[in-house]
Amino acid sequence: MASLDSKTPQGALADKWTNYKNNIRLVNPANKRKIDVIIVGTGLAGGSAAATLAELGYNVKAFCYQDSPRRAHSIAAQGGINAAKNYQGDGDSVYRLFYDTIKGGDYRSREANVYRLAEVSANIIDQCVAQGVPFARDYGGLLDNRSFGGVLVSRTFYAKGQTGQQLLLGAYSAMNRQIAKGKITMYNRHEMLDVVLVDGKARGIIARNLITGEIERHSAHAVVIASGGYGNVFFLSTNAMGSNATAAWKIHKRGAYFANPCYTQIHPTCIPVHGDQQSKLTLMSESLRNDGRIWVPKKLEDAKAVREGKLKPTDIAEEDRDYYLERRYPSFGNLVPRDVASRAAKERCDAGFGIINNSTNEGVFLDFSSAIERYGKEQAHIQGVHNPSREKILQLGEEVVASKYGNLFDMYQQITDDNPYKTPMKIYPAVHYTMGGIWVDYNLMTTVPGLYAIGEANFSDHGANRLGASALMQGLADGYFVLPYTIGDYLADDIRTGPIPTNTPEFDAAEKHVTDRISQLINNNGKHSVDYFHKKLGHIMWNKVGMARNAQGLSEAIHEIAELREQFWKEVRVPGVPNEFNQELEKAGRVADFLELGELFARDALERNESCGGHFREEYRTEEGEARRDDEHFTYVAAWEYTGKPSEAILHKEDLKFDNVELKTRSYK
């Protein structure tokens, strides 16, 4: 076991980033034209990084498996983006955002990275406004803010329920400017299948053209992975079905340590599972918890009647409703962090109060009736309507709610056929975001020189639980404001290197490795589909490595995943041929990677004998059922080195030091 060097700058926390930028090496504009950078993934992190690096003068090669960068999963981040601008005058500051993020992550984040994130957050908003992102504005024309879970201030900037999409369009527009100038070469419908190392440095990738099946070699002086998270290891998640861990897992197998894989976020406001044939889950934005109140019936007989369709939620009297988050966490109420809200929902459903008539009775209500009435009365006053009828109040209130959340309400109604203006939404926690990822230092470089990871693909900012609206913040911070500085310091050594050739033994070996694996999948001629194995993996992961974990279940999961992986390679059937459009082949490669990642995930969860954030071990809980950390033994980042079998990976530790916040038990009461 070895300790890791985070390369965190010395000095006061508030001065680290400024002093760092003042002392790094730079590459002059003429020399930037001689340097190539590969970026894998074109969501908010990859798109913003590609646009910025190209604007600086580097030659960028950008890869995405979608038909356009506009299809990146970043568009699904609906609710907003955090920034410490204190427009509401409610006490926000850079330090407050830093503190809330450290606390929300249950004190398992690196202080220096989190403070830098908070520090550059205000610049992100200015950048996006300049790009034309249509953030919501208040009556006076100033940018509006709303609250998200885990904080007591309003710092979330939003564009209705389409924030991720609008921010991505801003980054995509910036990319298009550089594509038109020839500074970005865009490779749509390409998937990275391996990274190429030359003399220990990342010097290129092997990619497959997903339309023709052609295997391609691409070289560069540095490689940046911005391919998102690994939530689809659970099969059912809020991620797009194409979201995958292949790029991150490939670089892990080439020497990049994988950090904290067990830190996975369960989001509390997802439309519940409705059947065994479902292929993905749909997220309702956390922004709905601003105005929606979460509850279940107080009486078991009422919950049973709701499940059986004998009682409507609107028929249950106010005094017979358990607003359990407001009851348990009076200070934060419905705005507790995601991990806390998710476990509270599970506890109520496990106790028999769930309201969904499925095999597990899992589901709670998210009710807007109070907000509709409150907004309606407010609007009646504004409009001078005296003694308004209840119908008028509800009409006015629904119009306000529609202006704030209309597209989310429409989406819910289209999926469920329930009108959320008239009856409460039904929600339940689901796998959403992954705080774990590739280990990176302060420069966002992995343990492989010249190989970087940004956005959700790295582990660096969110600890054991991400606060809502912070994913977009991290992705754009890494791409627009952090990586462009740090990568220049590394690339200063490459101004005389010249183009990296692809006709070398290293590229030959990497391509052969890729083609051999594809041949094995295609020629296997097994009896089961790829989805057959993915669903089985998801079942193991959710039941034994999901919202609640214990030593016995995790040990069983490690064994079962290894057996399933062995069965996969013996019995998977991939129809078609490799040199054409073949989505089953794409899925097979990704599921093969998930079958390895899942085993490491379970091993990491088994090794961490504590509960923190999204990692909840049933053996380590307080008397009140909350997460119980072990700061004496587990205040570190677990970074795993690949050795061949995931469960036999070597653990390296980065000790976490807290010099600027007090290490204490989280409380949202």
Side-chain angles (χ1 to χ4, degrees):
M1 187 183 301
S3 295
L4 290 170
D5 180 10
S6 67
K7 297 184 172 61
T8 301
Q10 298 298 313
L13 184 66
D15 298 329
K16 287 182 188 295
W17 181 232
T18 299
N19 291 339
Y20 172 92
K21 290 188 294 181
N22 288 339
N23 290 284
I24 59 172
R25 295 177 298 171
L26 302 176
V27 181
N28 81 44
N31 286 331
K32 288 189 177 83
R33 295 194 291 268
K34 304 173 184 176
I35 294 177
D36 303 323
V37 179
I38 285 174
I39 297 180
V40 179
T42 53
L44 285 179
S48 59
T52 306
L53 291 175
E55 186 76 39
L56 289 172
Y58 296 105
N59 306 308
V60 175
K61 303 174 184 179
F63 294 78
C64 69
Y65 72 82
Q66 299 95 341
D67 55 0
S68 166
R70 291 175 299 152
R71 305 278 290 185
H73 189 59
S74 298
I75 65 169
Q78 303 154 330
I81 177 171
N82 288 331
K85 277 188 170 290
N86 195 33
Y87 281 175
Q88 304 300 312
D90 55 2
D92 202 10
S93 65
V94 169
Y95 182 84
R96 175 61 61 180
L97 175 52
F98 157 73
Y99 175 78
D100 287 343
T101 305
I102 289 285
K103 177 183 176 184
D106 217 351
Y107 302 91
R108 292 295 179 260
S109 309
R110 186 189 293 154
E111 275 194 341
N113 285 62
V114 176
Y115 193 90
R116 176 175 63 186
L117 176 65
E119 191 177 351
V120 304
S121 65
N123 298 338
I124 298 170
I125 304 304
D126 297 337
Q127 172 94 355
C128 294
V129 169
Q131 291 173 339
V133 173
F135 286 122
R137 296 178 181 267
D138 63 20
Y139 180 78
L142 300 176
L143 296 182
D144 199 10
N145 294 110
R146 57 190 179 199
S147 297
F148 259 61
V151 303
L152 294 174
V153 297
S154 296
R155 65 162 66 102
T156 303
F157 295 77
Y158 64 98
K160 247 187 176 180
Q162 307 168 10
T163 314
Q165 181 177 5
Q166 297 301 327
L167 292 172
L168 186 61
L169 287 174
Y172 179 62
S173 298
M175 284 185 69
N176 268 343
R177 165 180 155 83
Q178 298 303 320
I179 291 171
K181 293 171 66 175
K183 295 304 294 180
I184 295 178
T185 304
M186 191 67 230
Y187 295 91
N188 300 330
R189 302 297 289 145
H190 280 67
E191 183 167 27
M192 170 189 155
L193 295 180
D194 210 346
V195 65
V196 181
L197 307 184
V198 180
D199 296 329
K201 297 180 179 180
R203 292 302 199 187
I205 66 171
I206 304 296
R208 180 173 181 267
N209 183 322
L210 298 180
I211 302 298
T212 67
E214 181 182 358
I215 303 301
E216 302 175 1
R217 303 179 181 191
H218 297 276
S219 65
H221 298 88
V223 176
V224 180
I225 303 300
S227 54
Y230 49 90
N232 276 353
V233 70
F234 287 85
F235 185 68
L236 283 180
S237 80
T238 66
N239 288 204
M241 290 181 67
S243 297
N244 64 86
T246 288
W249 192 250
K250 297 306 186 192
I251 69 170
H252 170 57
K253 294 176 77 169
R254 294 293 186 186
Y257 294 175
F258 208 106
N260 300 333
C262 76
Y263 288 167
T264 301
Q265 184 165 78
I266 310 295
H267 198 296
T269 57
C270 179
I271 296 177
V273 176
H274 63 72
D276 294 337
Q277 301 306 310
Q278 197 164 348
S279 57
K280 80 172 298 293
L281 299 173
T282 303
L283 177 69
M284 290 288 101
S285 168
E286 185 177 351
S287 61
L288 297 175
R289 288 203 279 149
N290 275 282
D291 289 313
R293 301 177 71 194
I294 296 174
W295 63 277
V296 292
K298 282 184 179 178
K299 302 175 182 176
L300 284 170
E301 57 267 30
D302 284 351
K304 182 179 179 183
V306 169
R307 291 196 296 269
E308 294 175 349
K310 298 176 181 177
L311 187 65
K312 296 180 180 178
T314 50
D315 295 331
I316 299 177
E318 188 73 13
E319 60 270 19
D320 292 327
R321 301 179 177 190
D322 179 14
Y323 296 94
Y324 57 88
L325 292 178
E326 298 171 35
R327 169 174 56 82
R328 292 179 60 176
Y329 310 101
S331 292
F332 283 72
N334 295 294
L335 290 175
V336 293
R338 293 173 175 179
D339 62 320
V340 176
S342 295
R343 283 195 293 274
K346 183 179 188 299
E347 184 275 328
R348 286 291 79 196
C349 292
D350 288 350
F353 294 93
I355 50 83
I356 295 291
N357 187 26
N358 57 19
S359 60
T360 52
N361 298 332
E362 292 172 338
V364 300
F365 290 124
L366 178 61
D367 195 334
F368 276 79
S369 57
S370 296
I372 289 171
E373 186 169 346
R374 183 178 73 252
Y375 284 130
K377 290 178 179 178
E378 182 182 272
Q379 285 299 306
H381 279 291
I382 291 172
Q383 297 179 20
V385 180
H386 301 292
N387 299 316
S389 65
R390 178 164 178 77
E391 290 74 18
K392 184 64 174 178
I393 289 173
L394 296 181
Q395 175 203 330
L396 293 172
E398 287 179 8
E399 290 173 358
V400 174
V401 169
S403 70
K404 298 178 72 173
Y405 311 110
N407 62 310
L408 300 173
F409 276 51
D410 292 343
M411 183 169 66
Y412 180 86
Q413 186 165 2
Q414 289 172 12
I415 292 172
T416 66
D417 201 29
D418 283 339
N419 183 348
Y421 295 102
K422 306 299 183 184
T423 188
M425 289 184 177
K426 299 171 183 177
I427 59 169
Y428 192 70
V431 172
H432 179 54
Y433 185 92
T434 54
M435 287 76 65
I438 297 299
W439 184 91
V440 293
D441 61 20
Y442 189 76
N443 303 309
L444 304 183
M445 190 189 290
T446 71
T447 45
V448 176
L451 184 57
Y452 293 79
I454 61 176
E456 191 181 358
N458 74 30
F459 88 100
S460 67
D461 292 343
H462 306 298
N465 176 62
R466 178 175 68 80
L467 293 182
S470 287
L472 304 186
M473 177 175 61
Q474 187 212 344
L476 292 181
D478 285 357
Y480 281 138
F481 299 111
V482 179
L483 181 72
Y485 280 100
T486 63
I487 200 170
D489 187 52
Y490 171 79
L491 291 173
D493 289 330
D494 274 318
I495 59 176
R496 294 184 179 87
T497 300
I500 306 297
T502 59
N503 57 341
T504 62
E506 292 86 354
F507 276 90
D508 292 343
E511 182 175 329
K512 184 178 187 304
H513 177 75
V514 167
T515 54
D516 286 350
R517 192 168 189 261
I518 289 174
S519 296
Q520 185 178 359
L521 289 169
I522 287 289
N523 296 322
N524 201 52
N525 271 333
K527 58 184 178 181
H528 295 300
S529 69
V530 175
D531 282 346
Y532 170 87
F533 291 99
H534 199 177
K535 288 178 180 179
K536 279 187 169 292
L537 173 63
H539 185 77
I540 296 169
M541 293 296 295
W542 181 248
N543 289 329
K544 298 184 177 180
V545 203
M547 243 197 294
R549 308 152 182 179
N550 58 58
Q552 179 180 341
L554 291 169
S555 298
E556 291 171 355
I558 292 170
H559 178 70
E560 290 170 15
I561 293 169
E563 285 189 337
L564 184 65
R565 186 171 65 250
E566 184 178 352
Q567 182 190 5
F568 171 87
W569 285 105
K570 289 179 179 177
E571 299 182 6
V572 72
R573 180 177 182 84
V574 181
V577 296
N579 56 341
E580 66 179 15
F581 181 70
N582 189 336
Q583 289 189 301
E584 283 300 299
L585 177 59
E586 295 173 34
K587 285 196 297 183
R590 296 165 187 169
V591 171
D593 294 329
F594 281 137
L595 284 164
E596 295 181 344
L597 171 57
E599 187 176 323
L600 181 64
F601 190 130
R603 164 82 189 282
D604 186 48
L606 182 62
E607 289 286 331
R608 188 167 285 275
N609 293 322
E610 65 167 352
S611 291
C612 57
H615 167 62
F616 191 76
R617 285 282 297 272
E618 293 174 335
E619 308 97 319
Y620 306 103
R621 65 173 87 187
T622 67
E623 293 181 357
E624 297 175 319
E626 305 292 349
R628 178 161 58 85
R629 294 196 322 262
D630 181 351
D631 293 334
E632 182 180 353
H633 300 103
F634 293 96
T635 308
Y636 63 76
V637 177
W640 297 93
E641 179 184 359
Y642 182 79
T643 61
K645 186 177 180 183
S647 60
E648 297 175 358
I650 298 172
L651 173 62
H652 301 268
K653 297 181 180 180
E654 178 199 337
D655 292 328
L656 294 171
K657 309 225 179 269
F658 295 92
D659 301 319
N660 299 274
V661 297
E662 181 185 354
L663 193 60
K664 60 184 180 180
T665 301
R666 284 191 307 169
S667 174
Y668 294 95
K669 297 182 179 182

